Structures are given as structure tokens and as C-alpha cells.
Amino acid sequence: MSWESWSDFFAMGGYGFYVWGSYLVALLCVLGEVVLVRNRRRTLHKQLGLKDKSSL
Amino acid sequence: MTINWFKYASPASFYFLAGRMIPFFIIAAVILLIIGLYIGFFVAPTDFQQGEAYRIIFIHVPAAWMSMFLYVVMAFWAGIGLAFNTRLSSMVASAIAPTGAMFTFLALWTGAWWGKPMWGTWWVWDARLTSELILFFLYIGFMSLQAAIDDPRRADKAGAIIALVGVVNIPIIYFSVQWWNTLHQGASVSLVQSPKMATAMLTGMLIMALAAWMYSIVMVLMRTRMIILERERHTAWVSELKEGVSK
């Protein structure tokens, strides 16, 4: 383990801005895609008169 | 009626099969992501050259791999759809594109945020970066073209052509670091010297790549199911689905 403390962990040896800047955007991209897919599915199921839980 | 049923059997059965498979891939993706991040942040040691900045590798390399891999898979299914007129393969191709574009964007973004502290610049117009940017435009082009054509079958065919032509770009991206003198480093693993470091870093990277793979499968299956429903909304089996649900 490379970390002495949580602040040490978040500092990432001085590269925290770049490391977390990458991970944050990755998280946002993945969450964004999941939200888009689920919204599209909800709209479609509503249009077709399917109940949302009918299928994953 | 029987003929109709057989005609639609493939997308319909895929719809239900995919629906049953999705939960398992979600579980696999979440578990692999947790293990991968744990190894990436708590097991993998500090890099002797790049310090902690190298930890971007655990997203950057899997994202870059997926961006190229998904493109090849997309072009493959689009090509099969074009050659054999199999509708489901074209639907899968369309379902892959947004996830591929997302990973391409991530590879570019994390590359920039790694390049800034290591090279001193967010971006250079070198072979590896430029060809990856072209890959992003290929995905966007594929999606825009398909969105611009109303008839789904014609959209499939037009998309397949752009996808197949764009495959040329994949070996260019992959070999760009060998063919041209670029800022981008070569094989990611070679910058590590101690075997112990290589093992933990490589393991973390591979597990994150597997997680990205599982995630992509979930997204593609979900999107394929929606495309199937959209295109088959007037068929008998979708009507049965509605009736079955409303009961």
C-alpha cells in the first residue's frame, strides 16, 4: 500500500488533479451512458405500452 | 403467419435471451470494477518514473483497448448485416457505436490528463493521438449517418460502409507508436522494470479491461433490445409482449 493517510491518497503524490480529473470524467461518462440508456428504455416502453419491469 | 414468425424468430429470441443474460454481466462488471480499482489504487505500487500519475493507466488503457476492439466488432457485425442481410447483426452494430464512442472519448480525455503532467502538454498532433481522434469521428460519423436516414435498412447499409472503410484506421492506431516517432509511449507494460510491479499493474489493468468488457456487453445488449423493440413494434411477438404484461 502506497498511502499513509486519506489525504495522502487524495493527493496522489502531487498528481491528484490529473488522476482524479481522469477518474471523475470516466465516472461521469459511464453514469451518463447508463442514464441515457435507461431513459431511452423508459420512453420506449411507455410508447409501446410495456411496463418497465417487464424486461431489464 | 408461420413464415412471419420464422422471419422474426431471430430478433425475438435474441430479445429474451439477452434479457436473461444482462443481470449476470452487470454483476460481473461491478465485481470486476471493484477488484480492479482496489488493485489499481491499493495493491499496485508507485511507478518509479511517473509516480502516482501512472494510475490513470487503469482507465486509459482499457478505454483505448475497448475503443479499438468495439470498432472492429461493430464493423464486423455491420459487414455481416450488409453481406447477408441479417437484420439482427446490423442492430448489434448500431448498438455498439455509442459505447465505442464513449470509450474513445475516455481514452482521449484520460490521455490528455496523463499527457499534461508527463509530457507537459494536453494534446499533440502526433500519429497515435490523431488516429484515435479520427476513430472518435468515425463513431460519430457512423451514428450521425444512421440517425439521418429514416429507413432503418438503408441506414444499416450506409452505416456498414462507413464502418468497414474506417477499419483501416484500427491498425494505424495500433501500430502508430512503432511506425512513427511519437510522444506516446510504446507498450504500456514495458515501462515497468521490477517484475513485482509489472504483475500488480498488469493485473489491475487487465481486470479493469475485463470490467470494461462486461460493461460494454451490458450496454450493447440493452441497446440491441431497444432497437429490436423499436423496429419490431408492429410484429406479433411484441403485441404478445404487451398483452402478457398488461395481464
Side-chain angles (χ1 to χ4, degrees), chain B:
Chain B
M1 274 316 277
T2 337
I3 295 163
N4 256 350
W5 178 250
F6 276 111
K7 196 176 160 194
Y8 295 122
S10 179
S13 51
F14 183 86
Y15 180 86
F16 294 109
L17 179 69
R20 281 195 292 272
M21 279 159 39
I22 285 169
F24 297 101
F25 286 112
I26 292 177
I27 294 166
V30 170
I31 292 172
L32 286 165
L33 181 70
I34 292 168
I35 298 172
L37 287 176
Y38 177 77
I39 293 175
F41 280 108
F42 298 108
V43 179
T46 308
D47 187 71
F48 76 103
Q49 249 181 346
Q50 306 198 358
E52 309 297 352
Y54 93 91
R55 291 186 199 274
I56 295 171
I57 204 173
F58 299 113
I59 329 176
H60 180 71
V61 171
W65 281 345
M66 290 312 294
S67 72
M68 293 187 282
F69 176 71
L70 285 176
Y71 191 90
V72 173
V73 177
M74 179 183 88
F76 173 80
W77 286 118
I80 295 287
L82 185 67
F84 300 106
N85 221 20
T86 43
R87 292 167 313 131
L88 183 61
S89 18
S90 301
M91 295 182 201
V92 172
S94 308
I96 292 172
T99 304
M102 190 277 281
F103 276 118
T104 312
F105 171 78
L106 262 189
L108 290 165
W109 179 274
T110 55
W113 285 61
W114 197 357
K116 183 62 183 169
M118 288 303 129
W119 305 336
T121 176
W122 299 100
W123 183 261
V124 277
W125 291 102
D126 87 348
R128 171 56 72 84
L129 282 69
T130 309
S131 53
E132 182 77 9
L133 183 66
I134 290 170
L135 181 70
F136 184 64
F137 292 146
L138 281 169
Y139 277 118
I140 301 292
F142 177 86
M143 289 189 285
S144 321
L145 187 65
Q146 291 209 322
I149 301 172
D150 284 333
D151 177 19
R153 297 300 292 140
R154 288 187 65 194
D156 286 344
K157 290 190 176 109
I161 290 164
I162 198 176
L164 286 170
V165 171
V167 168
V168 175
N169 190 41
I170 297 296
I172 295 178
I173 300 172
Y174 191 78
F175 293 110
S176 55
V177 285
Q178 294 169 27
W179 291 347
W180 292 284
N181 188 15
T182 87
L183 259 186
H184 198 283
Q185 64 212 29
S188 325
V189 192
S190 67
L191 62 95
V192 184
Q193 284 186 337
S194 132
K196 188 175 171 272
M197 287 171 78
T199 313
M201 289 175 184
L202 187 67
T203 310
M205 215 166 75
L206 292 178
I207 291 175
M208 287 297 278
L210 276 177
W213 207 327
M214 296 300 124
Y215 168 82
S216 307
I217 292 174
V218 173
M219 287 295 117
V220 170
L221 289 183
M222 288 187 78
R223 228 179 256 117
T224 306
R225 274 163 61 90
M226 293 190 289
I227 296 171
I228 291 174
L229 277 186
E230 279 164 7
R231 293 201 190 176
E232 315 243 309
R233 58 171 70 191
H234 301 302
T235 61
W237 75 271
V238 175
S239 313
E240 279 169 27
L241 201 63
K242 287 184 221 171
E243 285 159 22
V245 167
S246 57
K247 258 174 217 166

Side-chain angles (χ1 to χ4, degrees), chain A residues 2-56:
Chain A
S2 322
W3 323 109
E4 310 253 308
S5 64
W6 280 109
S7 59
D8 198 24
F9 176 72
F10 289 117
M12 278 288 144
Y15 293 114
F17 177 68
Y18 300 103
V19 173
W20 301 123
S22 299
Y23 276 82
L24 183 72
V25 171
L27 180 74
L28 291 178
C29 282
V30 168
L31 286 182
E33 192 185 7
V34 170
V35 167
L36 283 177
V37 164
R38 296 190 65 180
N39 282 349
R40 183 176 164 189
R41 188 169 133 259
R42 195 177 307 132
T43 314
L44 180 67
H45 280 209
K46 211 171 275 176
Q47 277 175 3
L48 296 180
L50 297 176
K51 293 247 169 60
D52 230 2
K53 59 186 172 189
S54 67
S55 44
L56 212 111

